[in-house]
Amino acid sequence: MKRAFATSVLLTCLVAGILGKPLTKESEKERPMRKVEFNGQVVYVPVQEKLADPFSSRITGDEQKTDMILNEEQKEYIRQEKEEHKDGRTKRKAVRDVLKRWTKVGGDVIVPFTMDSPTDDIPYIYEAMDHWSTKTCVKFETYSSDRSSTLGHNQRLRFHKADGCWSYVGRQPTYEMQPQPISIGSGCLQLGTIAHEIGHAMGFQHEQSRPDRDDYVEVFWTNIETDQQHNFDKESLQDVMASEVVKYDLTSVMHYGAYGFAINENIPTLVTKRPFDMQYIGQRSGLSFYDVKLANYIYNCNFTCDPLLDCANEGFVDKTCTCQCPPAWTGALCNENSNVPETITEITRTEPSGEITSPDYESGQYPINSASMIYMVGEPGATITLTFDAFDIADPGSHGCWDYVQVNSDDPRYGGEKYCGNQIPAPIVAKDNIMIWFYSNGVNTDKGFRAHFTIDRPLTEAPVVTTKAPTTPVVTTEAPTTPVVTTNAPTEAPTTPVVTTKAPTSEAPLSTLTSPNYPNAYNAREKKVYRLTTDVGKKIYLKIDEMEIQEGRNRCNYDALIVNLGGTDEVLKTRLCGTRTNVGPFESLSNKMKLIFITDGSEERRGFKVSYKSITESTCGGTFGGESGIVESLNYPIHYPNQIVCDYVIQVDPGKVIRLTFNDLDVEYGPNYLCQYDCLKVIQLNQNDQEETLLSLDGTSPPLPIVSRTNQLTLRLSSDAYVGGKGFQVSYLAI
């Protein structure tokens, strides 16, 4: 994790601090300084690294807390926007009423400021303001009351050091606050981080909040801290952040990185749809080309330019009345290829076999400040084997690998094991695809690596003539890949009541699968993948008979069993831990289901035992008895299926009644009337044995407990063909 040191006394240690390395001959040199002239003052700041590690970017400041703050008027606008999205109404204020710009005088946008930050932090803030001013028509001026009368307002930014990095969005009304605070706290002194917070003050929101973000990135909702999930909502105060102005920008300084607000810090919260694009998100080197284009558009920086040049290839005219071009283009009108080589090499290999190497392997040394991505991809179901023949990467330091090779074998976008040193890794086998990341920093170099690979096509099944179809799903297990290491102390997992579930209606017997060593303690620092597959046209039914998995302080961030129903959407996955029995059942979307078991090294428990089978019909619903218990909808807490009607019948001894308590409710909300889309009804039989609905529910607000009049209640969950939710969990007690 990078750390920026602000004091001049520590400048000679910057290389060691940022790279996390002990000082060596190569790194003892004082980090070069760059002169910045800002408003007549000269300051010096460290020169940025030529190539920061694009694969291990962890943003230390602006994703640790909510860094973008909305005022009450803006929050109400967002709320109304969400309501309109549901029912098509258009009643909210114009965006200009809630997102105020800074005042333009002549050709400059004037942003007054005061500086209350520590002296050692000020050069970094000046650098970021100069960065904005150089690339846009924004001009930062020290606040004065005389200037306020010219601007027509008395607002100014107040830079100070509070807890974290944060800023309000746009110029705030003086009746709300004065001056307008912007915090540059500990860990926030990187150029791009300060530019990010200034971007909010200028009116920018987070890039991943754009309405079109689902075309480019995928959100892993199950790994986001519950109270931080709003940071990933699609919402916009910005009326020009549509694709017709600037395209979605993965390289934006306003885009979150991969791991913001993660429950398990080894798993991302945000990944790109295209595996190669993981290198871009979360950069904090400075404003991207499209950030600059958007700022120039918002503040009409070229309004004095006449005639206005017609820039090609998404170029734009800036305040100097010249075309600014995307990196791939140059020339007066952005119509000439710049031939600038890519910073990071992207290679795709699809042939049945071949050889791969690190850059310049034949020369005997890989270059410093280099990175490459090699993506080996086969047909769905293909088996890929990667074998290293030679391996010589810079030896690791006390904080881990300086240069490294990372092999992502389970998901090409993250999670692979990192290798360095000179020990040849064992052969790696994966399904469908493998992504290799190579990175070298600016200090040491070695020979690199050479490897060969094979891509074996999936076996083609012979046509069925007259044979009995298999009834038990095939289970494929994978050897451990990346160790998941945490240092937090474990906490005790709570015990929950036993749940009685309906046995599935299917012709096949249940098979059993357990964690390693079960019922003894499972292994530390292990990742094991179980792939369950059955015949096409069938599904997999699975229930967790017993589970004793270490539970972390923040949900399942120590050890976890991840259940994936077979889709790519994150709503079809959940992380489970703690001590429970009879969890589920779960039902796959297709003929595939995947379980991933991840452990750290702090404490080991018994693990898990699951039962599974092939089914041809849905198993939702069931009958529940006993004095007490828990009832959960099918696939809870992942996602109940579409187009179902499921009855969960609770029946206790005659002469008793049922007290029903709702622990959790997430059923698709209908904005126009109750149960417009999906619905959960609580039903009992009246004296004439006719159904009587006690409650009809949707949304996410659990009702108060209810008591039946008889010894039987039915919970009926129905869903349409769209959206859906987690479902429900209720507790019952016979009284």
Side-chain angles (χ1 to χ4, degrees), residues 417-563:
E417 186 161 0
K418 191 176 288 188
Y419 303 95
C420 57
N422 54 22
Q423 183 174 346
I424 296 179
I428 298 167
V429 180
K431 292 291 186 183
D432 300 339
N433 51 61
I434 288 180
M435 174 70 83
I436 297 177
W437 294 343
F438 171 79
Y439 170 72
S440 69
N441 66 13
V443 182
N444 297 314
T445 183
D446 278 298
K447 185 168 184 179
F449 74 86
R450 186 183 75 248
H452 67 272
F453 67 90
T454 59
I455 303 178
D456 296 325
R457 298 181 62 182
L459 296 175
T460 303
E461 296 183 0
V464 175
V465 184
T466 306
T467 181
K468 182 178 179 181
T471 55
T472 302
V474 175
V475 182
T476 303
T477 61
E478 296 180 5
T481 54
T482 306
V484 180
V485 182
T486 60
T487 56
N488 296 2
T491 57
E492 289 301 317
T495 301
T496 53
V498 173
V499 185
T500 304
T501 59
K502 183 184 82 169
T505 56
S506 181
E507 71 284 352
L510 290 168
S511 298
T512 300
L513 180 67
T514 63
S515 54
N517 308 329
Y518 184 88
N520 298 317
Y522 49 72
N523 301 325
R525 297 183 178 89
E526 184 170 63
K527 177 179 178 182
K528 201 165 185 66
V529 180
Y530 304 86
R531 301 178 189 271
L532 281 66
T533 307
T534 188
D535 294 344
V536 175
K538 293 187 176 184
K539 296 183 179 182
I540 297 169
Y541 165 96
L542 180 141
K543 67 183 181 71
I544 302 172
D545 304 310
E546 298 177 1
M547 180 176 71
E548 186 182 324
I549 299 172
Q550 183 192 9
E551 188 171 26
R553 296 183 186 277
N554 191 359
R555 298 202 299 182
C556 302
N557 62 330
Y558 289 175
D559 302 345
L561 176 64
I562 301 173
V563 180

Side-chain angles (χ1 to χ4, degrees), residues 9-29:
V9 176
L10 293 177
L11 284 173
T12 57
C13 298
L14 268 166
V15 171
I18 289 176
L19 298 178
K21 303 178 182 181
L23 290 174
T24 64
K25 277 188 176 180
E26 293 84 354
S27 59
E28 282 171 355
K29 300 174 183 178

Side-chain angles (χ1 to χ4, degrees), residues 641-679:
N642 294 328
Q643 295 182 300
I644 58 168
V645 178
C646 302
D647 282 356
Y648 300 83
V649 180
I650 302 171
Q651 193 169 37
V652 299
D653 293 340
K656 293 188 175 182
V657 293
I658 301 167
R659 178 181 176 85
L660 189 69
T661 302
F662 284 83
N663 304 324
D664 192 16
L665 179 70
D666 183 9
V667 175
E668 185 188 3
Y669 167 75
N672 297 323
Y673 53 87
L674 185 64
C675 292
Q676 178 183 359
Y677 300 141
D678 300 348
C679 191

Side-chain angles (χ1 to χ4, degrees), residues 311-357:
C311 307
N313 298 306
E314 300 183 322
F316 68 93
V317 177
D318 70 355
K319 62 183 179 181
T320 66
C321 301
T322 58
C323 284
Q324 297 300 313
C325 308
W329 298 94
T330 189
L333 298 176
C334 302
N335 54 4
E336 301 174 24
N337 196 308
S338 65
N339 295 314
V340 175
E342 293 291 334
T343 305
I344 301 175
T345 306
E346 299 178 6
I347 301 170
T348 301
R349 304 289 295 268
T350 59
E351 65 269 34
S353 62
E355 183 179 84
I356 58 173
T357 65

